[in-house]
Amino acid sequence: MSNFHVVDHPLITHKLSIMRNKKTGSKDFRELLNEIAMLMGYELTRDLPLEDVVIETPLTKMTAKMVSGKKLAIVPILRAGLGMVDGLQSLVPVAKVGHIGLYRDPETHKPVEYYCKLPVDIEERIVILVDPMLATGGSASDALTMLKNKGCKHIRFMCLVASPEGVKKVQEDHPDVDIYTAALDECLNEHAYIVPGLGDAGDRIFGTL
Ligand code: PRP
Ligand code: URA
């Protein structure tokens, strides 16, 4: 089974509660989402390997530690994943960004692919797949399959709110992928929306309600 992490730092939980409130408008929603993405990114990158590099301080030569080896790629699932990219990139400015376009069919709730553009060397990178909502898990699972089909071997998935059903699906389909979420909610409703959740993340980010 993959590792499942709830990153429930008080600041993250506080910001998420503001986002959940239906009175919170798009501007604040977007800002908070990026702030949380940055805070979660700190946790998500905790195990990045370091290497020794010889540098000179103004006083002397020293062997300093710097992040080594593998480079990162951030891959948002469109649309709502876009809302987490700036926050993560402020932490890792050199990360390349790929895009996977999926939308949920309103009747079947199954994901439909409409776009995929990834860095050419994606298979050599540690990939952070991002999408605020892990509901049925269909979109995340399909996106992970697409990344693996392109040769990616080191992938972690970051969301904001997860349902137990979504976590189960991703763990079953992709036991090698670590899942990071800011909250694990109660269940899905009859429209496959997360309850209590925060509504439609894409609509709230882009004001398309
Ligand atoms: C939402 C969300 C996820 C997906 C989650 O996207 O951003 O991608 O649903 O649901 P799942 O776990 O059941 O697959 P949506 O399809 O509404 O598209 P949008 O981001 O373009 O609004
Ligand atoms: N997509 C969303 O944006 N919200 C949900 O609760 C489920 C899917």
Side-chain angles (χ1 to χ4, degrees):
M1 277 300 153
S2 65
N3 285 320
F4 174 63
H5 312 262
V6 180
V7 188
D8 54 0
H9 186 287
L11 287 176
I12 293 178
T13 305
H14 175 86
K15 289 172 193 291
L16 174 57
S17 297
I18 301 173
M19 293 178 74
R20 287 183 189 275
N21 190 331
K22 67 179 184 184
K23 291 183 183 154
T24 300
S26 286
K27 177 177 173 292
D28 289 343
F29 192 93
R30 273 196 306 275
E31 286 174 5
L32 289 159
L33 181 56
N34 270 313
E35 287 169 21
I36 293 177
M38 190 184 70
L39 292 168
M40 288 182 71
Y42 185 77
E43 196 55 37
L44 209 101
T45 51
R46 179 175 285 283
D47 63 346
L48 287 186
L50 294 170
E51 68 183 1
D52 289 342
V53 179
V54 178
I55 58 162
E56 269 186 69
T57 76
L59 301 183
T60 183
K61 261 192 182 176
M62 72 168 282
T63 304
K65 303 265 182 215
M66 297 191 73
V67 173
S68 76
K70 288 197 181 298
K71 298 177 220 140
L72 288 175
I74 302 164
V75 178
I77 301 177
L78 306 179
R79 287 176 302 167
L82 287 174
M84 302 176 96
V85 173
D86 287 353
L88 269 180
Q89 257 195 324
S90 63
L91 211 59
V92 195
V94 294
K96 296 239 165 113
V97 181
H99 296 88
I100 290 179
L102 294 173
Y103 71 88
R104 282 202 325 181
D105 182 285
E107 302 289 316
T108 65
H109 306 139
K110 300 269 183 240
V112 182
E113 179 189 338
Y114 63 90
Y115 190 73
C116 182
K117 180 78 179 173
L118 300 168
V120 283
D121 58 353
I122 188 82
E123 75 281 358
E124 292 164 20
R125 292 175 177 267
I126 295 173
V127 179
I128 305 177
L129 178 68
V130 295
D131 190 329
M133 308 310 280
L134 179 62
T136 65
S139 303
S141 181
D142 280 13
L144 289 166
T145 301
M146 290 164 73
L147 289 169
K148 288 181 180 177
N149 287 343
K150 299 277 183 187
C152 299
K153 289 170 202 68
H154 304 282
I155 317 171
R156 34 200 89 176
F157 175 65
M158 179 168 121
C159 61
L160 186 66
V161 183
S163 74
E165 295 89 333
V167 174
K168 183 164 179 281
K169 167 123 182 102
V170 173
Q171 284 187 321
E172 282 174 3
D173 293 355
H174 301 283
D176 54 317
V177 173
D178 277 17
I179 304 168
Y180 293 78
T181 186
L184 177 62
D185 274 12
E186 284 161 27
C187 57
L188 297 177
N189 70 9
E190 66 275 24
H191 305 293
Y193 271 74
I194 301 174
V195 181
L198 46 72
D200 188 304
D203 282 345
R204 295 198 65 188
I205 292 168
F206 296 107
T208 47
L209 285 169

